[in-house]
Amino acid sequence: MRSREGRRQPKTLNRDYPREEVVKPRGTVGEPSPSPAQSGASPRGEQGDGLMEKVVARQNMLAALKRVEQNKGAPGVDGIPTENLREQIRAEWSRIREELLTGIYRPQPVRRAEIRGGKRMLGIPTVMDRLIQQALLQVLTPIFDPQFSEASYGFRPGRRAHEAVKKARQYVEEGYEWAVDMDLEKFFDRVNHDILMARVARKVTDKRVLKVIRRYLQAGIMVNGVVMEREEGTPQGGPLSPLLANILLDDLDKELEKRGHKFVRYADDANIYVRSKRAGERVLVSIRKFLQERLKLKLNEQKSTVDRPWKLKFLGFSMYKRKAGEIRIRLARQSIERVKAKTRTLTARNTPIAMEERIRRLNTYLGGWMGYFALAETPSTFEEIEGWIRRRLRMCLWKQWKRVRTRYRELRALGLPEWVVHQFANARKGPWRMAHGPMNRALGNAYWQAQGLMSLTERYRRLRQSW
């Protein structure tokens, strides 16, 4: 009976586009049954042959559409931007929906993009494929997520990176003062499709869902107009990739739990905490063997190591141990270097841009950056970064005051003594040198606050109070 209804649905719901104008009830003919999460049915119902009907259901597709539009993102190989997604849905959804229900839908290749200076590759799906992946994600997450390990924090509902960092600190406070830092070598490029699909099939029996997931895994990569086939890896850039990564690495979590280890994992970034260096070295050897034999994954031997937690980076943070033995969270050195590199780009003195626009861009970037890194318990570090940023801005101002007469006018407007004005206006030092000294006092905190520059230390204080 259920399969007969499934065959009728494409004919009766051709107008069932995932757009807000058509969400008004039109009766129950051809409508999919409520999900077990709504009706109180057992989780097994989520895994049955009718799972694809739940994926393409109107309410699920509307929720997926809303999320894709919120996330925006770059176009895929078809060049269609997120702003045109609704128009594409009106034109093509009837056909695509029927192809999904009959199990013949084939995703388009992903567009290759480089991030972090080419160190990491992204595969950007088309906006339509991102919509379908998001719809799949919303249906599959309630099936898989409840069985994931409590030590897994990455890309899971209601969990944050901050919780993973705090849990890591808790283990160190309990005396596990050595960490096994595992770095999976090109994880998203090395995922074995057969091994991953075997784990998905443990809980999903709808062959149409399994087919479309495998086709997403095997979708080619468009490089300079040529489609390259992919036999392994999951394209990092689609909504479904993080869940698939967690499904595969759940075997690693279960193995570590079985051995009784204290560990924290966020996606492919995992640390195991032990009491001695020798124990950590034994764990690293055994886990390397497990990953290679069970999951066909490799560790990056240059980055995987056993060391003290305060010498390692985890999710952008590190730790330090006070004299009293208290463990505190601090910014990792690489995080400081990264925020300074971004600030240098925004405050490049050779970039012709108004100071107001420069400050606006800085505020946008630093606001989000501080929202994450305020977890660090080192306010002095933020004070140093804030002072360094103000000096960068003073350097930009000095660069703008190219002419001597302009310097006289601007320095007098700052209320500096005439002898200082004369000395500075005729100075031959570079902009970075001139941004220090008396210029620092004349263009201090009050001046930049009046210009609208965000105070990192003030935002840090407010965020810490609200937590």
Side-chain angles (χ1 to χ4, degrees), residues 211-227:
K211 280 182 181 179
V212 75
I213 293 176
R214 182 176 280 276
R215 285 169 181 166
Y216 273 120
L217 292 173
Q218 295 176 338
I221 302 174
M222 182 75 76
V223 181
N224 297 325
V226 179
V227 178

Side-chain angles (χ1 to χ4, degrees), residues 231-433:
E231 298 180 353
E232 63 178 3
T234 173
Q236 188 180 5
L240 200 55
S241 295
L243 176 63
L244 296 178
N246 278 333
I247 290 173
L248 182 64
L249 292 176
D250 189 55
D251 276 25
L252 172 63
D253 297 340
K254 295 299 191 290
E255 179 68 18
L256 293 175
E257 287 178 343
K258 185 174 71 174
R259 299 183 186 187
H261 288 309
K262 309 291 184 181
F263 72 99
V264 179
R265 184 177 66 80
Y266 192 96
D268 59 334
D269 196 351
N271 280 4
I272 306 171
Y273 295 91
V274 295
R275 293 188 182 274
S276 68
K277 183 176 182 179
R278 186 175 179 181
E281 291 170 346
R282 288 198 303 267
V283 169
L284 184 60
V285 170
S286 62
I287 293 302
R288 180 191 295 114
K289 182 179 179 181
F290 172 84
L291 288 170
Q292 290 176 347
E293 294 180 355
R294 183 76 66 86
L295 301 179
K296 307 300 180 185
L297 296 173
K298 292 183 179 180
L299 288 179
N300 187 322
E301 299 298 339
Q302 294 181 342
K303 294 183 179 180
S304 299
T305 185
V306 179
D307 211 332
R308 295 290 193 179
W310 37 88
K311 294 183 179 180
L312 300 174
K313 175 179 72 72
F314 182 57
L315 301 179
F317 296 95
S318 187
M319 303 180 196
Y320 70 98
K321 189 174 184 180
R322 304 185 72 181
K323 292 182 179 179
E326 182 183 6
I327 304 298
R328 292 286 187 95
I329 299 172
R330 64 175 176 87
L331 288 179
R333 172 183 52 82
Q334 298 90 327
S335 299
I336 298 175
E337 292 173 353
R338 190 170 297 171
V339 70
K340 286 191 172 184
K342 179 65 174 181
T343 302
R344 287 189 183 96
T345 301
L346 295 174
T347 59
R349 65 193 188 193
N350 295 326
T351 303
I353 183 175
M355 184 58 67
E356 294 79 7
E357 176 63 15
R358 211 182 284 271
I359 290 176
R360 186 193 67 80
R361 295 181 184 181
L362 269 174
N363 286 346
T364 301
Y365 170 70
L366 293 173
W369 182 84
M370 179 57 77
Y372 178 74
F373 284 105
L375 180 67
E377 299 164 306
T378 52
S380 61
T381 301
F382 297 109
E383 292 175 3
E384 293 174 4
I385 295 174
E386 184 177 10
W388 179 83
I389 291 173
R390 288 196 300 267
R391 186 175 178 181
R392 292 283 306 180
L393 291 174
R394 289 194 297 270
M395 177 194 68
C396 293
L397 271 183
W398 188 257
K399 181 69 175 179
Q400 292 175 3
W401 302 345
K402 294 181 179 179
R403 299 182 179 180
V404 173
R405 63 183 181 184
T406 303
R407 295 174 181 175
Y408 268 106
R409 184 181 69 247
E410 297 295 342
L411 291 170
R412 283 169 178 161
L414 293 175
L416 295 177
E418 189 63 25
W419 69 271
V420 175
V421 171
H422 179 74
Q423 182 181 11
F424 270 52
N426 293 280
R428 292 296 180 263
K429 297 177 181 178
W432 182 247
R433 291 279 302 275

